[in-house]
Amino acid sequence: MIDAEQRLSELGLKLPEAPQPVANYVPHLISNDQLFISGQIAKDGTGRVLTGLLGAGVSVEDGRTAARHAALNVLAQAKAALGSLDRIVQVLRVTGFVASAPGFTEQSAVINGASDLFVAVLGDAGRHTRSAVGVASLPLDTCVEIDAIVKIR
């Protein structure tokens, strides 16, 4: 079994504080052996929201970085809900929303930033089903938002 927090350290990453909701919803909810994590936007380690539209000023590489930050926020929510990332059995489902200019079709490449992070931190438990969806805009003008469903022990 991988020690997720040790792996984060080895990767030179630090979990941010779990972001608080900005509207009328809860950031996470446990039902039986599943943890549902609300959409997490792309905020960097300083709390700055990564903004803009992919295909109109934001590169695929910058989008990948934003997806990675959103995924770190997903893991921060998981830790807040569970007390330890070691309770994660499997990331089951990830949905990635990408703020996209008309004609932009590389949402999948952008969301790879999140998928790659989950696997790097959690090993095989980070492998998941996924959708990558292009949208006209996202809250706070963020360029990426990620939500997840996780099987837990």
Side-chain angles (χ1 to χ4, degrees):
M1 177 193 308
I2 289 180
D3 179 332
E5 300 204 33
Q6 179 181 342
R7 189 71 185 121
L8 278 165
S9 179
E10 290 169 0
L11 293 167
L13 300 171
K14 184 178 179 216
L15 284 184
E17 290 295 318
Q20 294 301 305
V22 295
N24 188 16
Y25 64 91
V26 294
H28 47 76
L29 186 66
I30 295 173
S31 178
N32 297 318
D33 67 347
Q34 292 186 343
L35 171 63
F36 295 80
I37 300 173
S38 294
Q40 301 297 303
I41 64 174
K43 281 187 179 180
D44 69 12
T46 68
R48 179 178 62 97
V49 177
L50 305 175
T51 62
L53 288 177
L54 275 291
V58 179
S59 69
V60 170
E61 191 54 42
D62 287 343
R64 232 183 248 122
T65 298
R68 185 177 174 102
H69 283 292
L72 281 170
N73 286 318
V74 166
L75 292 176
Q77 289 296 351
K79 183 174 180 183
L82 304 172
S84 171
L85 295 178
D86 294 333
R87 289 187 56 199
I88 294 173
V89 173
Q90 187 72 52
V91 177
L92 299 172
R93 176 83 177 156
V94 169
T95 306
F97 302 93
V98 179
S100 303
F104 182 78
T105 60
E106 295 182 70
Q107 290 83 5
S108 186
V110 170
I111 300 305
N112 280 343
S115 295
D116 292 347
L117 179 98
F118 290 134
V119 172
V121 172
L122 301 169
D124 284 340
R127 297 193 188 286
H128 53 270
T129 65
R130 182 182 94 176
S131 291
V133 180
V135 297
S137 65
L138 289 166
L140 304 178
D141 193 34
T142 190
C143 55
V144 175
E145 182 174 354
I146 305 284
D147 70 15
I149 302 170
V150 178
K151 184 175 181 177
I152 59 173
R153 60 173 108 340

